[in-house]
Amino acid sequence: MHMRRTARPARPLRAGGVLLAAAVLLISACSSGSSTTTAAATEAALTALPRATPSALSPYYQQKLNWRSCGVPGFECATMKAPLDYAKPGSGDVRLAVSRKKATGPGKRLGSLLVNPGGPGGSAVGYLQSHAGIGYPADVRARYDMVAVDPRGVARSEPVECLNGRAMDAFTQTDTTPDDGRETDQLVEAFKKFAEGCGEHSPELLRHVSTVEAARDMDILRAVLGDEKLNYVGASYGTFLGASYAGLYPDRVGRLVLDGALDPSLTARKLNEEQTAGFETAFQSFAKDCVRHSDCPLGDAGTSPDQVGRNLKAFFQQLDKEPIPAGDPDGRKVGEALATTGVIAAMYDETAWPQLRDALTSAMKKNDGAGLLALSDSYYERDADGQYANLMSANAAVNCLDLPAAFSGPDQVEQALPAFEKASPVFGEGLAWASLNCAYWPVKNTGEPHRIEAKGAAPILVVGTTRDPATPYPWAQSLASQLSSGTLLTYVGDGHTAYGRGSTCIDSTINRYLLQGTPPEKGKRCS
């Protein structure tokens, strides 16, 4: 899926499959192609772990962190050890990067507040140091030590690596709307090459980067920080991580905010298909807004959103035949794949819509793809030197381990195309093919779709945005209903996630919960 991460500075999760690699993003896992959640999957629930810490894990729970300067004013950093394999704690460790910014006061300290921006694959440490640790409400930062750990396989925590920069450039430009058997074979080969790279560079780690293992790592961190309960704000994929923690350790749940929620009971195919519909919902909002502006290259005031979509699709098809220059020093041109990724990147946040209008105008009117390429590069976390963060690699690694692949081969994708194209005439075809990535993964999945109930947990706040492209609103409704103590807070609006995006109603409600432990009344809606 495309989920990726959360919050304005970090853009959220990925699920579907806009981009090749991104396809795995958020939730990209996938189910063997069944179009609905199976009854067995719906009935299965995450089982809580025993309350007593196994003796083999005691050394990890009793470790002392050696805090040091990070080189970022106000923040400290440390390295924490966790078992690579929780079933064999003595067989090796994984080293995890941790950072914190201590509570500033005034007021009584409430403990640690762990944050995660999503992905999977987004750097929580980077998010803490660039946003949460300085941008969260002052009242929250005054009372909590702000803390982050990069999950195993991500960023500073022994990152999964798959392809180098040049190979990633080729991968991200692969055509995800194959027109014939030759192009289908090229797409399959690209997925295989990506998967083989991951298996070659990270063979052991690749088997142990699941969400359940990352949630268990968070419990070790909770203990070494000296907290009896875990307080947490997770966005996008970070909601799956937080909900998994609650399911495993319901008695250790403190104040959990799950913003832009994922539904753990869905198969990978269903997740990708519903996320595809989410991007269509967001695009419809963009289309209505675009035609109100004189610089909209996709239509004028009388153009319907559906026609705007057809105009954009026609432009994509034109790029499929003849990519346009982008002034890129590495010689990349913007074809359909990069252009689609650039458009999808702007769907995460409505404040990016003016930038997208400008980028589309340059591309369609001036044959200049630089603006769309910049949007695509930001989505893939590609820097000016042609190097990529490990977001895409980690995203695939986690998603393909957490769920069975959405499709087993091209034939299943072709059978599913009508459903995906119905979900989104603009993005459906590309996102369906992008959902094929886990089919060729070098290690078998260890997770399955399941419900998370967390019976006995303290109140958990689930936040959903009605026109969220990456984590559709029904997912938040579903997770809140699964959690025995879940409360749903609704933001009526656009964009991915809601906290810190401009709604005083949302922010004050979440702040009250974090500071006082009081969830909102049932059915609360904000705009």
Side-chain angles (χ1 to χ4, degrees):
M1 287 172 34
H2 263 62
M3 264 170 122
R4 239 186 116 166
R5 352 201 262 229
T6 179
R8 194 159 273 168
R11 203 174 301 105
L13 308 53
R14 301 159 174 192
V18 138
L19 351 142
L20 257 189
V24 209
L25 258 175
L26 174 44
I27 262 175
S28 178
C30 316
S31 80
S32 50
S34 70
S35 60
T36 58
T37 306
T38 64
T42 303
E43 292 168 3
L46 187 61
T47 303
L49 292 169
R51 293 192 181 194
T53 300
S55 58
L57 295 180
S58 293
Y60 297 102
Y61 276 81
Q62 294 168 4
Q63 67 185 295
K64 304 294 183 185
L65 297 185
N66 178 26
W67 294 101
R68 62 193 183 278
S69 170
C70 298
V72 181
F75 292 89
E76 298 175 296
C77 289
T79 301
M80 184 185 86
K81 290 182 180 180
L84 176 65
D85 184 351
Y86 275 91
K88 301 174 183 176
S91 63
D93 298 336
V94 60
R95 298 168 66 85
L96 306 176
V98 182
S99 184
R100 75 176 176 189
K101 185 178 185 184
K102 288 188 174 180
T104 55
K108 181 183 177 182
R109 180 181 171 276
L110 295 173
S112 305
L113 181 63
L114 197 62
V115 297
N116 183 283
S123 172
V125 170
Y127 174 72
L128 174 76
Q129 294 176 355
S130 66
H131 177 64
I134 55 178
Y136 266 37
D139 288 351
V140 174
R141 291 183 287 114
R143 306 285 298 281
Y144 284 102
D145 290 347
M146 300 294 294
V147 180
V149 55
D150 278 350
R152 49 179 62 209
V154 173
R156 299 164 175 85
S157 293
E158 300 194 19
V160 171
E161 300 292 352
C162 299
L163 300 177
N164 63 25
R166 189 173 294 274
M168 276 298 295
D169 278 348
F171 182 66
T172 59
Q173 294 176 75
T174 304
D175 185 0
T176 55
T177 57
D179 298 318
D180 51 37
R182 181 183 63 83
E183 290 188 352
T184 299
D185 290 344
Q186 289 175 342
L187 178 58
V188 168
E189 189 57 36
F191 281 135
K192 288 181 176 179
K193 184 176 181 180
F194 184 86
E196 288 167 0
C198 297
E200 178 183 346
H201 294 116
S202 309
E204 287 305 312
L205 183 61
L206 216 57
R207 294 177 171 83
H208 297 289
V209 292
S210 70
T211 296
V212 164
E213 289 165 309
R216 297 189 71 172
D217 296 342
M218 293 201 306
D219 194 56
I220 294 177
L221 179 57
R222 172 204 59 77
V224 301
L225 291 172
D227 292 328
E228 291 186 11
K229 308 275 188 180
L230 181 81
N231 303 305
Y232 176 84
V233 177
S236 198
Y237 161 80
T239 66
F240 183 35
L241 186 57
S244 297
Y245 180 91
L248 295 170
Y249 308 103
D251 58 307
R252 297 174 194 169
V253 168
R255 298 168 188 178
L256 262 60
V257 177
L258 308 178
D259 182 15
L262 179 62
D263 183 352
S265 72
L266 297 179
T267 63
R269 167 170 168 175
K270 194 63 177 174
L271 284 167
N272 287 344
E273 187 180 318
E274 291 188 4
Q275 191 184 55
T276 298
F279 278 108
E280 181 66 23
T281 296
F283 179 76
Q284 292 273 324
S285 289
F286 164 75
K288 292 173 186 175
D289 178 78
C290 186
V291 298
R292 297 188 185 114
H293 298 270
S294 59
D295 63 344
C296 179
L298 297 169
D300 54 30
T303 309
S304 70
D306 288 346
Q307 184 60 50
V308 170
R310 287 191 288 270
N311 293 344
L312 180 61
K313 184 70 174 175
F315 176 61
F316 285 161
Q317 291 169 342
Q318 182 181 322
L319 293 177
D320 189 30
K321 296 174 183 174
E322 187 174 356
I324 60 176
D328 179 56
D330 295 312
R332 292 178 300 159
K333 291 187 175 183
V334 173
E336 182 180 15
L338 290 177
T340 303
T341 300
V343 173
I344 281 189
M347 293 300 101
Y348 282 88
D349 188 341
E350 67 275 19
T351 64
W353 292 354
Q355 181 183 356
L356 177 58
R357 287 200 311 273
D358 184 61
L360 286 171
T361 297
S362 294
M364 298 175 75
K365 308 287 189 185
K366 303 173 186 175
N367 209 45
D368 178 2
L372 287 173
L373 185 63
L375 283 166
S376 177
D377 284 350
S378 71
Y379 186 85
Y380 282 121
E381 293 195 353
R382 182 192 192 272
D383 65 24
D385 295 326
Q387 300 303 308
Y388 291 75
N390 95 306
L391 170 67
M392 302 309 301
S393 300
N395 182 265
V398 176
N399 281 324
C400 296
L401 203 57
D402 275 350
L403 287 174
F407 301 112
S408 62
D411 289 349
Q412 286 191 347
V413 177
E414 289 175 353
Q415 292 168 11
L417 280 175
F420 275 76
E421 292 180 309
K422 180 180 179 181
S424 175
V426 179
F427 305 118
E429 181 184 7
L431 291 177
W433 282 105
S435 304
L436 183 60
N437 60 333
C438 289
Y440 310 103
W441 205 243
V443 299
K444 183 172 176 12
N445 63 287
T446 55
E448 297 284 347
H450 57 270
R451 294 170 54 82
I452 298 180
E453 298 171 354
K455 292 179 180 176
I460 297 172
L461 183 56
V462 179
V463 187
T465 298
T466 57
R467 295 187 294 277
D468 190 317
T471 51
Y473 180 64
W475 292 359
Q477 293 176 300
S478 178
L479 180 61
S481 68
Q482 291 172 42
L483 292 166
S484 62
S485 60
T487 295
L488 177 63
L489 172 63
T490 298
Y491 174 57
V492 181
D494 297 292
H496 183 41
T497 74
Y499 189 38
R501 288 175 45 83
S503 169
T504 301
C505 172
I506 288 288
D507 292 354
S508 61
T509 302
I510 294 176
N511 293 343
R512 187 181 310 113
Y513 169 74
L514 289 173
L515 296 172
Q516 301 172 18
T518 308
E521 65 274 15
K522 185 176 180 179
K524 185 172 179 65
R525 296 169 71 86
C526 296
S527 58

